[in-house]
Amino acid sequence: MRILITAGPTREYIDDVRYLSNASSGQMGYALAAAAVAAGHQVVLVSGPTLLAPPLTCDFHGIETTAEMLSACETAWPDCDGVIAAAAVCDYRPAQRIQGKIGKTGNGLTLELVETPDILAALGATRGRRWNVGFALEAQDAHARAIRKLQRKQCDAIVLNSPAAIGAADNSVELLLPNGNTAAKWSGPKSEIAKSLMTWIETNLGTR
Ligand code: C5P
């Protein structure tokens, strides 16, 4: 298969030197890219800034903003069989990017934020016969919120994890299906969870 994987955080610039982002390390997405390459698949890895090295043989696209991630994904999507969206995408961006550097005035500063495009939902809307697997990081009412995201983004499955996953080497996840059932629960190093998820995708989605 040719698999599109999103990974890492996105950045949304306030001015030319400051941005909004999050604490995603990219480890889960890069572990998935490594597992997919090791299983013999072609990988298109679209990643925000991380300290990680992508697998040598993947088609790597480094991006910063959500708009850049969307554009790279939309370009890659027609040639892919499915997508695993592990990126921690900024939900909001400053309404305007100020040129240069905002100076201090002695007063407070109010930022106007607008929503960013939902990449996984955009890919889901044009998926045709392709498969979509998302991630949901939820702190409360986790199961129900993850299922709502799965439905809204037209996913075949969604990997539910908790805020403890951010920046950690290990993870504990539940794989949820559109009917609300739990297909699997995996705990351990992200590299092992990535292998388990790849095997599940090959068995349940890759052969449709
Ligand atoms: O941020 P949220 O909880 O909605 O993320 C759920 C899933 O949607 C994740 O797989 C994430 O990579 C993806 N997503 C996206 N574009 C966004 C927000 C989230 O692709 N703007």
Short mmCIF file of all heavy atoms in Angstrom, two decimals, residues 7-39:
data_model
loop_
_atom_site.label_atom_id
_atom_site.label_comp_id
_atom_site.label_asym_id
_atom_site.label_seq_id
_atom_site.Cartn_x
_atom_site.Cartn_y
_atom_site.Cartn_z
N ALA A 7 2.13 13.77 11.02
CA ALA A 7 2.83 13.63 12.30
C ALA A 7 3.25 14.99 12.83
O ALA A 7 3.38 15.96 12.07
CB ALA A 7 4.05 12.73 12.13
N GLY A 8 3.51 15.02 14.13
CA GLY A 8 4.08 16.21 14.76
C GLY A 8 3.06 17.33 14.93
O GLY A 8 1.89 17.20 14.58
N PRO A 9 3.53 18.45 15.45
CA PRO A 9 2.65 19.61 15.65
C PRO A 9 2.59 20.48 14.41
O PRO A 9 3.43 20.35 13.51
CB PRO A 9 3.37 20.38 16.77
CG PRO A 9 4.83 20.12 16.48
CD PRO A 9 4.91 18.72 15.92
N THR A 10 1.61 21.35 14.33
CA THR A 10 1.70 22.44 13.36
C THR A 10 1.97 23.73 14.13
O THR A 10 1.84 23.77 15.36
CB THR A 10 0.42 22.58 12.50
OG1 THR A 10 -0.70 22.78 13.36
CG2 THR A 10 0.21 21.36 11.64
N ARG A 11 2.39 24.74 13.41
CA ARG A 11 2.67 26.06 14.01
C ARG A 11 1.82 27.10 13.31
O ARG A 11 1.68 27.05 12.09
CB ARG A 11 4.15 26.45 13.80
CG ARG A 11 5.11 25.64 14.61
CD ARG A 11 6.52 26.08 14.28
NE ARG A 11 7.49 25.36 15.11
CZ ARG A 11 8.80 25.40 14.95
NH1 ARG A 11 9.31 26.12 13.96
NH2 ARG A 11 9.58 24.74 15.76
N GLU A 12 1.30 28.02 14.08
CA GLU A 12 0.52 29.12 13.51
C GLU A 12 1.15 30.43 13.96
O GLU A 12 1.15 30.75 15.15
CB GLU A 12 -0.94 29.02 13.97
CG GLU A 12 -1.63 27.72 13.56
CD GLU A 12 -1.63 27.46 12.06
OE1 GLU A 12 -1.48 28.42 11.28
OE2 GLU A 12 -1.77 26.28 11.67
N TYR A 13 1.66 31.17 13.00
CA TYR A 13 2.46 32.35 13.35
C TYR A 13 1.62 33.54 13.76
O TYR A 13 0.62 33.88 13.12
CB TYR A 13 3.37 32.71 12.17
CG TYR A 13 4.62 31.84 12.16
CD1 TYR A 13 4.62 30.61 11.54
CD2 TYR A 13 5.75 32.26 12.86
CE1 TYR A 13 5.74 29.80 11.58
CE2 TYR A 13 6.88 31.45 12.89
CZ TYR A 13 6.87 30.23 12.26
OH TYR A 13 7.98 29.43 12.31
N ILE A 14 2.04 34.19 14.85
CA ILE A 14 1.44 35.45 15.33
C ILE A 14 2.12 36.62 14.61
O ILE A 14 1.48 37.52 14.11
CB ILE A 14 1.64 35.57 16.86
CG1 ILE A 14 0.94 34.41 17.56
CG2 ILE A 14 1.16 36.94 17.36
CD1 ILE A 14 1.34 34.24 19.02
N ASP A 15 3.45 36.57 14.59
CA ASP A 15 4.23 37.51 13.78
C ASP A 15 5.37 36.70 13.18
O ASP A 15 5.32 35.47 13.17
CB ASP A 15 4.68 38.74 14.60
CG ASP A 15 5.54 38.37 15.81
OD1 ASP A 15 6.13 37.26 15.81
OD2 ASP A 15 5.64 39.19 16.74
N ASP A 16 6.44 37.34 12.71
CA ASP A 16 7.45 36.56 11.99
C ASP A 16 8.35 35.73 12.92
O ASP A 16 9.14 34.91 12.44
CB ASP A 16 8.31 37.49 11.13
CG ASP A 16 7.54 37.97 9.90
OD1 ASP A 16 6.52 37.34 9.57
OD2 ASP A 16 7.95 38.97 9.29
N VAL A 17 8.26 35.95 14.24
CA VAL A 17 9.12 35.18 15.15
C VAL A 17 8.34 34.38 16.20
O VAL A 17 8.93 33.54 16.88
CB VAL A 17 10.13 36.10 15.88
CG1 VAL A 17 11.13 36.67 14.90
CG2 VAL A 17 9.44 37.21 16.64
N ARG A 18 7.04 34.62 16.34
CA ARG A 18 6.28 33.94 17.40
C ARG A 18 5.15 33.12 16.79
O ARG A 18 4.54 33.53 15.80
CB ARG A 18 5.69 34.95 18.36
CG ARG A 18 6.73 35.89 18.97
CD ARG A 18 6.03 36.82 19.92
NE ARG A 18 6.94 37.76 20.55
CZ ARG A 18 7.13 39.01 20.13
NH1 ARG A 18 6.51 39.45 19.04
NH2 ARG A 18 7.93 39.80 20.78
N TYR A 19 4.88 31.99 17.44
CA TYR A 19 3.81 31.14 16.91
C TYR A 19 3.06 30.45 18.03
O TYR A 19 3.56 30.33 19.16
CB TYR A 19 4.37 30.11 15.93
CG TYR A 19 5.49 29.26 16.47
CD1 TYR A 19 5.25 28.19 17.34
CD2 TYR A 19 6.81 29.51 16.10
CE1 TYR A 19 6.28 27.42 17.83
CE2 TYR A 19 7.85 28.75 16.60
CZ TYR A 19 7.59 27.70 17.46
OH TYR A 19 8.63 26.94 17.94
N LEU A 20 1.86 29.96 17.71
CA LEU A 20 1.10 29.07 18.58
C LEU A 20 1.39 27.64 18.13
O LEU A 20 1.49 27.38 16.93
CB LEU A 20 -0.40 29.32 18.44
CG LEU A 20 -0.90 30.72 18.71
CD1 LEU A 20 -2.39 30.82 18.40
CD2 LEU A 20 -0.64 31.08 20.17
N SER A 21 1.53 26.72 19.08
CA SER A 21 1.76 25.32 18.71
C SER A 21 1.35 24.44 19.88
O SER A 21 0.57 24.86 20.74
CB SER A 21 3.22 25.10 18.31
OG SER A 21 3.39 23.84 17.71
N ASN A 22 1.86 23.24 19.94
CA ASN A 22 1.57 22.34 21.05
C ASN A 22 2.77 21.45 21.30
O ASN A 22 3.77 21.53 20.58
CB ASN A 22 0.31 21.51 20.76
CG ASN A 22 0.48 20.70 19.49
OD1 ASN A 22 1.25 19.76 19.43
ND2 ASN A 22 -0.25 21.09 18.44
N ALA A 23 2.68 20.59 22.33
CA ALA A 23 3.85 19.85 22.81
C ALA A 23 4.04 18.49 22.11
O ALA A 23 4.81 17.66 22.59
CB ALA A 23 3.72 19.64 24.31
N SER A 24 3.39 18.28 20.97
CA SER A 24 3.56 17.00 20.28
C SER A 24 5.02 16.80 19.88
O SER A 24 5.66 17.69 19.30
CB SER A 24 2.69 16.99 19.01
OG SER A 24 3.07 15.91 18.18
N SER A 25 5.55 15.59 20.16
CA SER A 25 6.94 15.27 19.79
C SER A 25 7.01 14.63 18.41
O SER A 25 8.09 14.52 17.83
CB SER A 25 7.53 14.28 20.81
OG SER A 25 6.82 13.05 20.74
N GLY A 26 5.88 14.13 17.91
CA GLY A 26 5.88 13.44 16.62
C GLY A 26 6.21 11.95 16.71
O GLY A 26 6.19 11.24 15.71
N GLN A 27 6.49 11.48 17.93
CA GLN A 27 6.96 10.09 18.07
C GLN A 27 5.99 9.05 17.52
O GLN A 27 6.40 8.08 16.88
CB GLN A 27 7.22 9.77 19.54
CG GLN A 27 8.49 10.37 20.09
CD GLN A 27 8.66 10.02 21.57
OE1 GLN A 27 9.16 8.96 21.92
NE2 GLN A 27 8.22 10.90 22.42
N MET A 28 4.69 9.25 17.78
CA MET A 28 3.71 8.24 17.32
C MET A 28 3.68 8.18 15.80
O MET A 28 3.71 7.11 15.20
CB MET A 28 2.33 8.58 17.90
CG MET A 28 1.33 7.46 17.79
SD MET A 28 1.74 6.03 18.80
CE MET A 28 1.70 4.76 17.56
N GLY A 29 3.63 9.34 15.16
CA GLY A 29 3.58 9.37 13.70
C GLY A 29 4.83 8.79 13.06
O GLY A 29 4.76 8.05 12.07
N TYR A 30 5.99 9.11 13.65
CA TYR A 30 7.25 8.58 13.09
C TYR A 30 7.36 7.08 13.33
O TYR A 30 7.90 6.35 12.49
CB TYR A 30 8.45 9.34 13.67
CG TYR A 30 8.69 10.68 13.00
CD1 TYR A 30 7.72 11.67 13.02
CD2 TYR A 30 9.88 10.95 12.33
CE1 TYR A 30 7.91 12.89 12.40
CE2 TYR A 30 10.09 12.18 11.70
CZ TYR A 30 9.10 13.14 11.74
OH TYR A 30 9.30 14.35 11.12
N ALA A 31 6.85 6.62 14.49
CA ALA A 31 6.84 5.17 14.76
C ALA A 31 5.94 4.47 13.74
O ALA A 31 6.26 3.37 13.25
CB ALA A 31 6.36 4.90 16.18
N LEU A 32 4.83 5.10 13.40
CA LEU A 32 3.93 4.51 12.39
C LEU A 32 4.60 4.48 11.02
O LEU A 32 4.48 3.49 10.28
CB LEU A 32 2.64 5.32 12.31
CG LEU A 32 1.67 5.05 13.47
CD1 LEU A 32 0.67 6.19 13.62
CD2 LEU A 32 0.95 3.72 13.26
N ALA A 33 5.31 5.56 10.70
CA ALA A 33 6.02 5.58 9.41
C ALA A 33 7.06 4.46 9.36
O ALA A 33 7.17 3.74 8.35
CB ALA A 33 6.68 6.94 9.21
N ALA A 34 7.80 4.28 10.45
CA ALA A 34 8.82 3.22 10.50
C ALA A 34 8.18 1.85 10.39
O ALA A 34 8.66 0.97 9.66
CB ALA A 34 9.63 3.34 11.79
N ALA A 35 7.06 1.65 11.09
CA ALA A 35 6.37 0.34 11.07
C ALA A 35 5.82 0.06 9.67
O ALA A 35 5.88 -1.08 9.18
CB ALA A 35 5.24 0.33 12.09
N ALA A 36 5.30 1.08 9.01
CA ALA A 36 4.74 0.88 7.67
C ALA A 36 5.84 0.57 6.66
O ALA A 36 5.69 -0.33 5.82
CB ALA A 36 3.96 2.13 7.25
N VAL A 37 6.96 1.28 6.75
CA VAL A 37 8.09 1.00 5.85
C VAL A 37 8.61 -0.42 6.10
O VAL A 37 8.86 -1.19 5.16
CB VAL A 37 9.21 2.05 6.05
CG1 VAL A 37 10.51 1.59 5.40
CG2 VAL A 37 8.77 3.41 5.47
N ALA A 38 8.75 -0.79 7.38
CA ALA A 38 9.27 -2.12 7.73
C ALA A 38 8.33 -3.22 7.21
O ALA A 38 8.78 -4.32 6.89
CB ALA A 38 9.44 -2.25 9.23
N ALA A 39 7.04 -2.90 7.12
CA ALA A 39 6.06 -3.90 6.63
C ALA A 39 5.99 -3.91 5.10
O ALA A 39 5.16 -4.61 4.53
CB ALA A 39 4.69 -3.59 7.24
#
